[in-house]
Amino acid sequence: MCNKCKKRASRNGEGEKTNHETINPTADLKLTTSDKNLKSIEIMYKSILEKFGNNINREGLLKTPQRVTKAMVHLLSGNQKDLTTILNGAVFSEDTKEMVVVHGITFYSLCEHHLLPFFGQAHIAYIPNGKVLGLSKLPRIVQMFSRRLQVQERLTQDIANAVEQAIGALGVAVVIDARHMCMEMRGVEQHDSNTSTRCLRGVFKEDKQLVTDFYEKMSASRSRSRL
């Protein structure tokens, strides 16, 4: 914190954030499966089940509110993670500008409009600029952002932003192929529809051959996909 901000914080109180500090919007949301606050969520799920005419004393439903609450803690656990933590220092200096591709990264997420699942595969490429990521960190980035209430368009952008921020890559490309249960289980009920989104940054926006090379490398994953 700069001296100016320290003086301002001193005047305003220690707990007040300044513009120079990173504010985590989920800093107060540190839920775990043992958190006492989860009891109130279980009560709400129990009420929802009752409102839809279910006998919550039936054997199969007795622990359903507890199970659903624990599941949501897991499915939304990305809200409580940040890029620095998941990278855990796995950024390495390498003198290369050749494309790095990790394709066929499986993910599961929840649509923020209906709280129904959408799932599929993410494909990521980047051109290093003196730094590379540990390969496992790309799936972890996908996992962090997919375990939040999401829409596919934003998820694609979030992943590209994170890779760009992590290593200052010369270019980043992200493609996501997914199925959406909000389109299959309800509404238009299009059971065979897939949705593809992409985000191109830096040299990928300028060099069409790079994009072509990226698509060729991820085509194998697409052909094997069970989407």
Side-chain angles (χ1 to χ4, degrees), residues 57-164:
N57 294 314
R58 193 169 78 237
E59 182 182 15
L61 292 181
L62 283 175
K63 292 187 177 181
T64 296
Q66 179 183 357
R67 287 190 290 262
V68 174
T69 300
K70 288 183 177 180
M72 293 302 285
V73 169
H74 174 71
L75 294 173
L76 300 180
S77 59
N79 284 326
Q80 300 174 60
K81 297 179 180 179
D82 60 76
L83 185 60
T84 301
T85 302
I86 66 165
L87 292 182
N88 195 29
V91 177
F92 307 103
S93 298
E94 288 293 339
D95 185 19
T96 178
K97 288 183 169 57
E98 297 298 322
M99 179 165 44
V100 178
V101 181
V102 177
H103 53 79
I105 302 170
T106 301
F107 74 90
Y108 296 86
S109 192
L110 289 177
C111 166
E112 67 180 28
H113 301 142
H114 298 97
L115 299 187
L116 289 174
F118 70 95
F119 57 90
Q121 292 187 335
H123 317 277
I124 306 172
Y126 69 87
I127 307 296
N129 187 22
K131 300 285 185 180
V132 297
L133 282 171
L135 290 178
S136 68
K137 300 309 176 183
L138 292 171
R140 291 193 183 279
I141 288 172
V142 173
Q143 189 178 75
M144 177 178 73
F145 287 112
S146 62
R147 287 182 180 169
R148 301 177 179 185
L149 295 181
Q150 276 285 10
V151 295
Q152 184 174 333
E153 296 87 344
R154 184 171 67 241
L155 176 59
T156 311
Q157 298 278 337
D158 284 344
I159 295 168
N161 289 342
V163 175
E164 195 171 43

Side-chain angles (χ1 to χ4, degrees), residues 2 10-11 18-19 22 31 38 44 54 58 75 84 136 142 144-145 147 150 159 174 177 184 204 213-214 217 220 226:
C2 66
S10 177
R11 290 196 304 268
T18 70
N19 291 335
T22 300
L31 296 178
L38 296 185
M44 286 187 282
N54 294 286
R58 193 169 78 237
L75 294 173
T84 301
S136 68
V142 173
M144 177 178 73
F145 287 112
R147 287 182 180 169
Q150 276 285 10
I159 295 168
V174 178
D177 301 314
E184 296 192 28
F204 281 97
D213 292 346
F214 172 41
K217 286 179 171 59
R226 292 177 293 176

